[in-house]
Amino acid sequence: MSDNYQRIEALAAVIRESKGANQELLLEWLKRGLMEATEKEFGSPQNIKITWNQKTDDVVIVALVEVVREVDPAWSHLQITRRKARKYNPEADYGDEVGIPIDFDDFGRSAINVFRNEFHTLERSAERDKVYDEYSSRIGQLIPRCVVQQVYRNRVNVRVAGQIDAVIPPEERARGERFEHGDTVLPVLVEVLSPESTDPQLVLSRANPLLVKRLFEREAPEIDEGVVQIKAIAREAGVRTKIAVASNDIRVDAVGTFVGMKGMRVQYVMRELNGERIDIISWTIDRKLLVTSALLPATVLKVTMDTRINHETGEEESIMVATVPDDEIGRAKGKGGHNVRLAGKLIGYRIEIEEKSIWEERKRWEEMLRVDISEFECVNSQLAERLTRAGFDSADTLIDCSMDRLRGVQGVGPVKIKQLLKEAAEQIETRSEVVETRKEEARKAELENEAADEQSVGDIETTEE
């Protein structure tokens, strides 16, 4: 290594440590860094030209100045007289550009520090550009070789491939996961920050549902082959995941493919997720059947579609109502409601759980409210049969129907339509009053029974004392 190269130890260090920068880029960094250094040393920036012989490690710096008749004091760092210029180039003339060598010995310690800082800043900027170009196309993919460097306020700082800083934010951590310095983790990439950002560029996640999908892709080559696929996935990280899978080959069982021989595939994924439970169900376009499968291990007796007001948004929404045995209500909802919540995310509808006894009670009252068409005074048996065949079998169906449909029934004219609609409204009102009276009587009887039970318990306690 040449003497002048050895004189600037900082320069030698950063060149040796440069992360694979090509010669043109490195020279550009050197030039910009040395311009800062010359401005620090000589009070004004120089027009620098640098040549670097990588074989001999010789770095030659020259300041380019213009040959003039008289040097302007304000531009003395960029101008030179012809007499002085001919010391460096005997043929120099007015208007020519002459290179004046700058010796490394001319740089003081402060100038060297300025150069070092500028060079490292440029180098880090280039590294961040490289990271952005390499990883921006890998969002949603697994990022292996991640080692925990620090855990601070639930924020996990990791090092990717031994050199790239990344972070797992608190909101991207799975519930219950604990990390220590030196632990290896396998996250999924969710964001790549721009090179201008000062934060770690790679944002990773251990909570994203894509992590589960990518882990199964590693274990089940049939996914890449297009034989099976994940149609929907819902996850509460660290607690439970539900996935609905389908097969594109009638000879292949999708659920069995994901579970694997003796459960090896799903067990591998669960180990990677620190024991998080995974439910795998068969996909179907029948939403009601999908709800039945999604609420496993609970037994679903009936699924109906209903429209209700969402108390949080105040808007009307469609929901699925699943009826289960009374003793399985807890199993259907799951601890903290996570089972029914995940099932709803999986199918795309909010699900409400209803006990069988409540459903039966509601159906009993609904049946009591029903007024059959045969009960109408203005309808004989023949007309009742024709109306029933046309779909008008109760007072409710008459109230909600269109006049054109009613006129299409044999024996139903304008006068009969008025009679039917009037009696339907009267029958519904009368039956509603009767049902409400019976409901009130039932509520009073229930309260009396509860009071009697409490009194019996009190008598027993008194006797024991």
Side-chain angles (χ1 to χ4, degrees):
M1 186 177 292
S2 61
D3 290 342
N4 65 349
Y5 195 72
Q6 289 179 347
R7 293 179 190 277
I8 182 167
E9 183 179 354
L11 176 61
V14 294
I15 289 178
R16 285 195 302 269
E17 296 169 3
S18 62
K19 305 292 190 301
N22 59 42
Q23 185 174 1
E24 291 75 14
L25 182 60
L26 191 55
L27 285 174
E28 178 63 25
W29 294 350
L30 286 169
K31 180 176 179 179
R32 290 175 61 178
L34 287 170
M35 287 183 69
E36 293 287 337
T38 55
E39 181 176 7
K40 176 69 176 178
E41 185 66 29
F42 302 111
S44 54
Q46 307 291 305
N47 184 8
I48 299 294
K49 179 181 179 182
I50 302 172
T51 56
W52 174 31
N53 187 328
Q54 288 182 306
K55 292 183 179 179
T56 62
D57 277 340
D58 282 336
V59 177
V60 178
I61 310 172
V62 296
L64 299 178
V65 293
E66 182 184 4
V67 180
V68 296
R69 294 182 183 277
E70 184 176 354
V71 175
D72 186 336
W75 297 93
S76 60
H77 59 293
L78 296 175
Q79 296 177 347
I80 192 173
T81 61
R82 185 172 66 176
R83 181 174 63 82
K84 290 183 178 180
R86 286 186 171 178
K87 293 180 180 179
Y88 307 101
N89 182 1
E91 298 179 359
D93 205 350
Y94 299 119
D96 290 345
E97 192 174 60
V98 176
I100 301 176
I102 298 178
D103 196 333
F104 288 129
D105 289 338
D106 294 336
F107 287 89
R109 183 180 299 275
S110 60
I112 294 299
N113 288 335
V114 168
F115 165 76
R116 177 197 289 272
N117 293 336
E118 178 68 14
F119 188 91
H120 276 307
T121 298
L122 293 167
E123 184 182 36
R124 284 193 297 270
S125 176
E127 289 174 3
R128 294 180 73 85
D129 286 334
K130 182 180 178 181
V131 169
Y132 186 85
D133 293 340
E134 179 180 352
Y135 284 90
S136 57
S137 62
R138 296 176 60 183
I139 292 177
Q141 301 298 318
L142 290 174
I143 304 298
R145 300 168 60 196
C146 296
V147 180
V148 175
Q149 300 297 306
Q150 183 187 38
V151 180
Y152 178 70
R153 291 184 177 177
N154 288 327
R155 172 187 171 104
V156 184
N157 295 319
V158 303
R159 187 70 56 80
V160 178
Q163 58 183 4
I164 302 170
D165 290 330
V167 64
I168 303 177
E171 64 273 15
E172 297 295 344
R173 292 184 61 177
R175 187 185 307 175
E177 281 193 327
R178 297 289 182 269
F179 299 105
E180 300 291 342
H181 175 78
D183 288 348
T184 58
V185 294
L186 184 59
V188 67
L189 179 64
V190 293
E191 186 180 2
V192 181
L193 301 182
S194 67
E196 291 76 21
S197 172
T198 57
D199 293 326
Q201 270 188 282
L202 305 186
V203 181
L204 309 176
S205 175
R206 287 282 297 175
N208 197 293
L210 271 175
L211 177 61
V212 182
K213 183 177 182 180
R214 299 302 178 219
L215 290 173
F216 272 112
E217 287 174 348
R218 288 180 61 168
E219 286 299 296
E222 294 88 346
I223 299 177
D224 285 338
E225 295 167 3
V227 178
V228 296
Q229 60 179 315
I230 296 176
K231 299 290 290 186
I233 184 168
R235 185 182 184 208
E236 287 193 6
V239 180
R240 196 171 197 156
T241 292
K242 289 181 181 287
I243 62 174
V245 300
S247 172
N248 298 319
D249 188 334
I250 59 174
R251 298 168 298 178
V252 177
D253 173 27
V255 174
T257 300
F258 280 83
V259 172
M261 186 71 69
K262 297 182 180 180
M264 292 181 63
R265 287 178 174 176
V266 70
Q267 287 173 14
Y268 159 77
V269 177
M270 290 173 65
R271 283 196 302 271
E272 285 290 341
L273 300 177
N274 295 314
E276 181 177 318
R277 291 192 61 182
I278 298 177
D279 298 335
I280 305 173
I281 66 173
S282 294
W283 170 263
T284 173
I285 59 174
D286 186 337
R287 284 290 189 268
K288 293 182 179 180
L289 183 57
L290 195 60
V291 169
T292 301
S293 300
L295 286 175
L296 290 172
T299 303
V300 178
L301 304 174
K302 184 180 180 63
V303 179
T304 56
M305 180 73 79
D306 197 2
T307 302
R308 299 184 185 176
I309 300 296
N310 188 313
H311 298 298
E312 295 180 358
T313 63
E315 298 179 354
E316 192 175 74
E317 65 174 349
S318 296
I319 66 169
M320 308 291 282
V321 181
T323 304
V324 302
D326 289 27
D327 58 349
E328 294 194 30
I329 187 72
R331 187 181 301 174
K333 291 183 177 180
K335 187 177 181 180
H338 70 264
N339 192 51
V340 65
R341 201 162 47 242
L342 282 174
K345 290 179 181 178
L346 192 71
I347 68 169
Y349 285 93
R350 186 163 65 88
I351 300 175
E352 288 195 359
I353 305 298
E354 183 178 56
E355 296 97 324
K356 181 183 177 182
S357 60
I358 294 178
W359 174 76
E360 290 175 340
E361 181 75 4
R362 190 181 74 253
K363 292 300 291 183
R364 186 168 69 87
W365 293 119
E366 288 176 356
E367 288 296 326
M368 291 178 65
L369 282 168
R370 175 184 168 86
V371 180
D372 195 83
I373 197 69
S374 61
E375 299 178 47
F376 278 48
E377 294 180 359
C378 67
V379 175
N380 57 35
S381 58
Q382 291 180 341
L383 181 56
E385 185 178 349
R386 289 196 295 269
L387 285 168
T388 300
R389 284 201 300 266
F392 305 112
D393 60 351
S394 67
D396 288 332
T397 56
L398 283 171
I399 291 295
D400 297 333
C401 77
S402 66
M403 298 302 99
D404 290 338
R405 283 191 61 201
L406 264 178
R407 280 192 288 266
V409 180
Q410 182 183 357
V412 178
V415 175
K416 181 58 71 175
I417 289 175
K418 289 183 179 179
Q419 290 177 343
L420 287 170
L421 294 179
K422 180 182 178 182
E423 186 170 352
E426 291 174 350
Q427 291 273 23
I428 290 174
E429 183 179 359
T430 301
R431 188 63 58 87
S432 296
E433 291 175 355
V434 172
V435 171
E436 285 301 320
T437 300
R438 292 188 180 181
K439 281 185 176 180
E440 185 62 29
E441 292 173 352
R443 281 194 290 267
K444 288 180 179 178
E446 185 178 352
L447 290 174
E448 290 174 357
N449 290 334
E450 289 179 358
D453 291 341
E454 290 178 1
Q455 181 64 39
S456 298
V457 172
D459 292 342
I460 292 172
E461 291 176 350
T462 302
T463 303
E464 289 178 350
E465 291 177 357

